[in-house]
Amino acid sequence: MSERATSVALPLPLQQALTYRVPKGMPDPSRGARVLVPLGGRRVIGVCLGDSAGTARGIALKDVIEIIDETPLVPPPLIDLALWVSTHYLAPPGECFRLILPPDGIRASRSVARLLLDAPRAEGADSLLDMLSHGPLRVSTLARRLGRDPSARLARLKRAGVVAVEQDLAAPGFRMVKVAVMTETGATSGVPGAASQRELLARLESAGGRIRTADLVQGRSSLRVALAALVQAGRVHIEEERRIRAPDTLADQESVRWTPTEAQDRAATAIRAAVEAQSFAPFMLFGVTGSG
């Protein structure tokens, strides 16, 4: 039985997809599904483009590490569009897939240096080790802080067993914000605490019983202390929620439905006609950057 191979578009400035072997026991990844593959000393998440004939030429291939998606993350028409963009504009296929995938849908790992706990060292003897003593850091961050490439030094420290250099593939998480929520016992009437506590409860009540802590305390240390007292008393509890950026629903602003200008309406009409005709048509829009 011949080896199976698959073509993978990587999020790197490579002008062609790379071929990887599908190891025995692993199902064939679907076209449009993401896969985790090795690349040099890194691990990279790319998009599977389908079967490849790479093994037919007797090339030794690296194995696919993991199939991330059971079903294609990208529908076939979008795959074809990304590949057409790559061919038409001579752009790296992996970079074109960034345009049709969620943010950080495909990405490469980043080198992270970590100080080993049992590594003996003298305080202040090595600025690089001093930086790592506060926690793991990206190699790129170390280079920026030191003003030079730390790779050679890290390699020596790694051989000596002082540091470990690992590949971090984690995507940036959503930004979370703290929210103060009034409990059932948090009514403003009969509050025995200080005036600052009553002020906070009044603000919470006027906000519907829920407000971001940053907006609630407004940077005032006295209100921070009052909020801590209310939390300890069980009148308020703190939750975390994902920060959502919605310009049309910002606080103290009404949702606005925008009406296109005459020039925008003419452009939209022409573009809509081309889309409905299902034909290729280039357009060049002139206008101030960011004007909409």
Side-chain angles (χ1 to χ4, degrees):
M1 181 177 177
S2 61
E3 291 185 327
R4 297 171 299 153
T6 187
S7 182
V8 180
L10 302 178
L12 299 167
L14 303 173
Q15 289 302 130
Q16 62 182 16
L18 299 185
T19 302
Y20 289 87
R21 190 176 75 95
V22 181
K24 186 177 180 181
M26 178 181 288
D28 290 321
S30 303
R31 185 171 185 257
R34 293 174 302 164
V35 292
L36 179 64
V37 296
L39 183 69
R42 296 197 289 175
R43 296 181 301 158
V44 185
I45 294 177
V47 177
C48 177
L49 302 182
D51 296 339
S52 173
T55 54
R57 301 190 297 270
I59 300 174
L61 302 176
K62 293 185 177 181
D63 286 351
V64 172
I65 299 173
E66 179 187 353
I67 300 175
I68 297 177
D69 304 308
E70 293 184 3
T71 58
L73 185 66
V74 182
L78 281 182
I79 296 177
D80 296 337
L81 175 62
L83 292 176
W84 178 88
V85 170
S86 173
T87 302
H88 188 77
Y89 296 104
L90 302 179
E95 297 293 332
C96 294
F97 272 93
R98 285 187 184 276
L99 304 175
I100 62 173
L101 285 168
D104 291 301
I106 56 176
R107 57 190 182 276
S109 63
R110 299 180 179 182
S111 298
V112 176
R114 175 174 58 86
L115 185 65
L116 298 178
L117 296 178
D118 56 354
R121 69 181 187 88
E123 185 70 27
D126 191 312
S127 57
L128 187 149
L129 294 181
D130 287 340
M131 291 179 188
L132 292 178
S133 65
H134 300 289
L137 287 173
R138 290 178 181 171
V139 173
S140 59
T141 301
L142 285 172
R144 185 174 64 254
R145 293 183 181 179
L146 293 170
R148 63 181 185 276
D149 185 1
S151 300
R153 174 69 174 144
L154 285 173
R156 291 194 295 271
L157 291 171
K158 184 178 179 181
R159 288 194 296 269
V162 177
V163 303
V165 180
E166 301 159 341
Q167 294 299 316
D168 180 19
L169 200 63
F174 294 113
R175 182 176 177 182
M176 307 298 288
V177 294
K178 293 184 182 297
V179 178
V181 182
M182 181 184 290
T183 64
E184 293 182 359
T185 59
T188 56
S189 58
V191 178
S196 55
Q197 294 183 30
R198 292 192 293 272
E199 179 184 349
L200 286 182
L201 289 176
R203 288 187 184 182
L204 265 169
E205 194 171 40
S206 64
R210 184 183 186 91
I211 188 175
R212 289 176 54 192
T213 57
D215 298 329
L216 180 62
V217 300
Q218 297 179 342
R220 291 165 53 186
S221 58
S222 61
L223 293 184
R224 292 184 187 277
V225 174
L227 178 59
L230 289 172
V231 171
Q232 187 173 8
R235 293 180 175 273
V236 176
H237 68 271
I238 305 298
E239 298 178 356
E240 280 197 344
E241 66 179 26
R242 175 181 162 189
R243 180 186 179 188
I244 300 200
R245 298 182 63 189
D248 60 338
T249 57
L250 292 176
D252 302 325
Q253 290 186 8
E254 295 182 0
S255 180
V256 178
R257 181 175 180 84
W258 296 102
T259 302
T261 64
E262 183 180 348
Q264 290 172 338
D265 189 56
R266 287 199 306 269
T269 299
I271 294 171
R272 191 179 300 111
V275 171
E276 293 174 352
Q278 297 186 352
S279 61
F280 175 78
F283 292 93
M284 176 69 76
L285 296 178
F286 292 92
V288 179
T289 302
S291 66

